[in-house]
Amino acid sequence: MANGTSRRVLLGELSAEFLGTMVLILFGCGVVAQVLGAGLGNHDSIAWAWGFGVTFGVYVAARISGAHLNPAVTVSLAFFKGFSWAKVLPYALAQTFGAFVAALLVRWNFTEALAKADPGHTIKTQIVFSTLPGNGSLPISEWGALRDQIIGTALLVMLIFAVTDLLNTPPGANLAPLIIGFIVVVIGMAFGADAGYAINPARDLGPRIASFITGYSHAWRDQYGNLYFWVPIVGPFIGGPLGALVYRLLITPFLREEVPGEQEPGRIPAPDAGPD
């Protein structure tokens, strides 16, 4: 019975990670498709839509799975917050599959607009789905993009650790998902030029696969013809734990030991229970 319950719990967590990541990518890839395919919007609308995509994805999944929505976050929580290593690969697969399905829906929904804007399905609209060094136009190398992904993901995870730490000053009234969305917005506005701020292996790999099987034959390469798909995978897996380590070394030891309640590994702060 216990094993059956455990399997059901894990299934629920994976379902939540799948759907939460799917919501994130529907808004994220959707806004880029609208900007590039229909000319509606600009860089700022892209940054805000990605941020709110994260917010709503977290609201969908947080109660059940903790709403990691990002394998780099999951790995960082396993390293530094006691999240079960046995769940890391299943979570990552669910996140990547959710991103893949969402990208397929975006690709289908914007079929006509993308075909008109880019009949050859080139790098011009490939960035609707996956990232490129310098967004396909600036003279950024793969190694420059890797550096950017390490820094960006380190910032993301460090700040997520800060706003979800009950020993620190986490947002009240269930506002943590909104603040996490703002984190993504500011990273996009400040660190979006060098590599498109993927900062999430599932966010890039899932849509990259979806675009490859729907006509973007060059999806694995960058504008220089070099294999690039590994950069937004490797960079976040380095940067995420690095950001968590910085927080653990420079902030955690100096926080007060008093905490209002126990915090399950990998979870965001629960809303205040209020008076009995």
Side-chain angles (χ1 to χ4, degrees):
M1 186 68 176
N3 288 337
T5 301
S6 297
R7 285 195 294 269
R8 180 173 174 79
V9 169
L10 179 59
L11 179 61
E13 291 171 344
L14 299 183
S15 178
E17 287 296 306
F18 167 82
L19 187 58
T21 310
M22 184 174 167
V23 168
L24 159 61
I25 299 302
L26 281 171
F27 285 117
C29 288
V31 70
V32 183
Q34 183 163 273
V35 170
L36 294 182
L40 300 176
N42 52 33
H43 175 268
D44 286 353
S45 63
I46 290 173
W48 281 107
W50 273 110
F52 280 119
V54 169
T55 292
F56 296 132
V58 173
Y59 273 123
V60 165
R63 184 68 181 270
I64 298 174
S65 69
H68 303 180
L69 314 186
N70 182 338
V73 171
T74 301
V75 166
S76 300
L77 290 168
F79 269 120
F80 294 101
K81 291 286 190 178
F83 184 73
S84 172
W85 279 103
K87 293 182 179 181
V88 168
L89 181 59
Y91 263 53
L93 291 175
Q95 294 154 359
T96 303
F97 189 51
F100 169 76
V101 172
L104 285 180
L105 287 171
V106 170
R107 178 74 174 87
W108 180 38
N109 190 58
F110 287 92
T111 298
E112 296 84 1
L114 293 176
K116 181 177 180 180
D118 182 23
H121 300 308
T122 68
I123 281 177
K124 178 182 177 182
T125 56
Q126 170 63 36
I127 58 173
V128 167
F129 304 100
S130 55
T131 58
L132 290 165
N135 293 316
S137 58
L138 295 176
I140 307 297
S141 69
E142 289 79 17
W143 299 109
L146 180 66
R147 172 198 62 214
D148 173 88
Q149 287 298 285
I150 293 171
I151 294 171
T153 314
L155 273 172
L156 172 69
V157 173
M158 182 187 70
L159 294 172
I160 288 175
F161 271 46
V163 302
T164 60
D165 189 346
L166 293 178
L167 287 171
N168 207 325
T169 52
N174 204 22
L175 288 176
L178 180 62
I179 302 305
I180 292 171
F182 287 157
I183 292 170
V184 173
V185 172
V186 73
I187 290 174
M189 288 184 171
F191 287 89
D194 280 5
Y197 70 109
I199 55 177
N200 181 340
R203 169 265 174 274
D204 198 84
L205 180 59
R208 195 178 294 272
I209 295 171
S211 66
F212 177 73
I213 66 175
T214 58
Y216 289 88
S217 59
H218 57 276
W220 306 107
R221 298 182 179 273
D222 59 22
Q223 64 268 32
Y224 312 116
N226 300 322
L227 284 175
Y228 180 77
F229 74 93
W230 61 273
V231 171
I233 297 174
V234 173
F237 277 131
I238 297 172
L242 181 61
L245 178 63
V246 169
Y247 185 82
R248 173 60 62 90
L249 293 177
L250 299 184
I251 299 297
T252 301
F254 306 103
L255 292 171
R256 294 175 57 192
E257 294 301 325
E258 299 173 7
V259 59
E262 294 183 358
Q263 181 174 353
E264 185 177 350
R267 303 287 181 170
I268 66 171
D272 294 336
D276 293 336

